[in-house]
Amino acid sequence: MLALIAFLPILVTVLLMAVFNWSAKRVLPLAWGLVCLIALAVWRMEPVYVLGYSLFGALKALDVIIIIFGAVLILNTLRQSGAMLRISNGFRHITNDRRLQAIIIGWMFCAFIEGAAGFGAPPALAAPLLVGLGFPPLAAAMITLILTGTSVSFGAAGTPLLSAVNGLTIYVERTGGARFTMLLTEQVAFLHAVVGFFVPLIGLCCLVVLFGEDKSLKHAFAAMPFAFFAGLVYVVPYYCTARFLGPEFPALLGGLVGLPILLWAAKSGFLAPKTRWDFPAQNAWPADWRSQIELEENQRPEVGMPLWKAWTPYMLIAFILVVTRIPVFGLKELLSSIKLTVPNVLGIDGLDYELTWAYLPGIIPFTLVALLTHFLHDMTPAQTKRAWQNTFQQISGAVVALLFGVAMVQLMLNSHVNTAGFDSMMTTMARAMAALAGNAFMFFAPFIGIMGTFMSGSSTVSNILFASFQYETALLLELPPVLIVALQAVGSAFGSMISFNNVVATCATVGLMGAEGKLIKRNLIPCLLYALLAVAAALLLLGGGHLR
C-alpha cells in the first residue's frame, strides 16, 4: 500500500502529461503539492523538512536552468550572427539526407559532448543544431534524447558509473576498488555496446514513422547499413576504452574516433542510402511539431562567413569541455572549487546547497563562448541584444517546471526523514518492485534504474540511490551482483530520454513548451526496448560464463 501511495504523484504526472497533454509547468507544481500532502499525512514528515527539502530542490534546479540558458544562448547567438545558416549549408554539402544528419549529430556528436560534459548538455546543444539544419523542433528533441542514452553511463568523465561504485563501499573494500571498478565498467560497456549497435537504427525507425510523409519503416531500413556502421564505429572504441582504460573516457573517445569516420562515410556516400529522405514541406508541419516561440533570424548572408569561422564556437566548446573535464589538466579541480554555498537550508543541519557555477557547462563553456562569439563573428549591438532577449523569453516557461519538478524529486528522495519510521518514497517503490519480481529480478533491474532517472533527471542520482539496493537484492536472490548493478547503470542511462529534467530542458532549447508529455510518451517505447535488449545482452554474459 505504501508503494502505491508513493507512486501516486508519478502516476498523476504521467497521466496528465502523456495522456491529457498538459504542459510540465502546469503538472509539476500540482505533483509537488501532492507529494507534500503525502509526506505530511502518510510519511509524517515535519513541515520544516517538507519545506526545506523542497527549497533545496528548487535551488538544485538552478544547475539545470543554467545549462539550458547557456545552450539556448549559443543557439540564438549563432542564429543572429549568420553562423547557423552557414553551418546548415555546410552540412548539406556533407549530406542532405535527414537520416544521416540525425545519426551524425544526435548519435556521434552528442556522444562526444556527453563524455566531456554530461548532465543534460548534449541534447540541449545538439537539438538546436538539428533545428538549424531544418528539422522540426519536436523531431530534433526526440531524436537527440533517444540517441544519447548509450553514452550517458560514461558521461562527464565517468561520473554516473563512479557514483555507483562510491555507493558500494563494502563490496569495493572486499574486492579492491580498482578491480571492482574495472569489472563493473567492462560489464556496463558490454551491455551498452551490444544495445548501442542497434540504437541508430531504432532512432531512425522512430524518426521516419513519426515524422515521415508516408510514415513507412522502409526509409529506416534503407539507411540500415549506414546506421549499423555508425553503431560499430562508436561502440568498438567505446568498449575497448572501457575495457583497458576505465570509466572516464569511453564516451569521449568513442565520439572522438567515430565522428571523423562517420563524416567521411557520409561525404563519400559509403553505405549511404541511394535515395534522399526528408521531412514534409514546412508549411505542412502540424502545429505540435513547431516551436511555440518565433525566433527572429536577422541573419547576414552566409556567403560572407567561412565555414571554419561558423564552426569555431562549437569547436571552442568541445575543446574547453575536454580541458576542463579531464583531471590531468588541473582545471577540473580548480573550477569545481569555485562555488556559492547556502548552508543549512531553512535551518536543517547538514542540508547545504552548493552551486559550482564555474564548472557548469552552461557558464563555461556555453555562455563564455557565446560572449566570445559576439566578437569573433563581428555581431552588431542589435544582434547581440536580440540573442539575449530571445534566450530569456525562450527559457521562461521551463524555469517554473524545473523549480517544482526538482523540488518534488528532492522531497521524495529525502522522505526517509520522518516520524513514521518509513523508508523514503523512492526506496519504498524500488523494494516493492523487487518483492514483486522475485527470481525474475534481472528483468526488473534496468527498470529501477530507469525509474530513478525518470524522477531525478540524472543517471548519477539514480545510481547513488539504487546501486546498493540492487547489489543487496542480487545477493539475496543469488544473482550475480555486479551484473545486476551494471543493469542498474544501463537502465539509468536509458532513462535519460524520458526524465522530466532532460525533456523539459531539451524542449526549452527548441521552443517546445507544452510538448513534454508527448515527447515522454513517444520516447517511452524505445526506452523500454533498450531495457529489454540490455537484459538480453546480460543473459548472453550470464550464459557465456564471462562473469567473475
Side-chain angles (χ1 to χ4, degrees), residues 167-180:
L168 295 167
T169 53
I170 295 176
Y171 188 77
V172 170
E173 289 171 0
R174 189 182 304 163
T175 61
R179 181 175 179 273
F180 174 84

Side-chain angles (χ1 to χ4, degrees), residues 527-539:
C527 179
L528 298 180
L529 179 59
Y530 287 6
L532 293 175
L533 287 173
V535 172
L539 291 174

Side-chain angles (χ1 to χ4, degrees), residues 149-167:
T150 303
S151 56
V152 168
S153 287
F154 299 111
T159 300
L161 191 74
L162 291 172
S163 68
V165 173
N166 292 337

Side-chain angles (χ1 to χ4, degrees), residues 74-151:
I74 281 288
L75 167 68
N76 289 329
T77 299
L78 295 183
R79 283 178 179 272
Q80 294 297 327
S81 74
M84 189 58 74
L85 180 60
R86 185 67 183 97
I87 288 171
S88 178
N89 289 340
F91 234 103
R92 292 187 182 98
H93 292 165
I94 296 174
T95 177
N96 58 5
D97 192 306
R98 302 300 188 190
R99 296 165 295 187
L100 273 56
Q101 291 175 347
I103 290 174
I104 292 169
I105 295 175
W107 169 248
M108 200 66 78
F109 180 68
C110 271
F112 172 78
I113 299 299
E114 179 67 40
F119 299 104
L125 192 62
L129 181 55
L130 288 176
V131 171
L133 292 173
F135 277 59
L138 186 63
M142 182 197 76
I143 196 67
T144 51
L145 285 166
I146 289 174
L147 294 181
T148 307
T150 303
S151 56

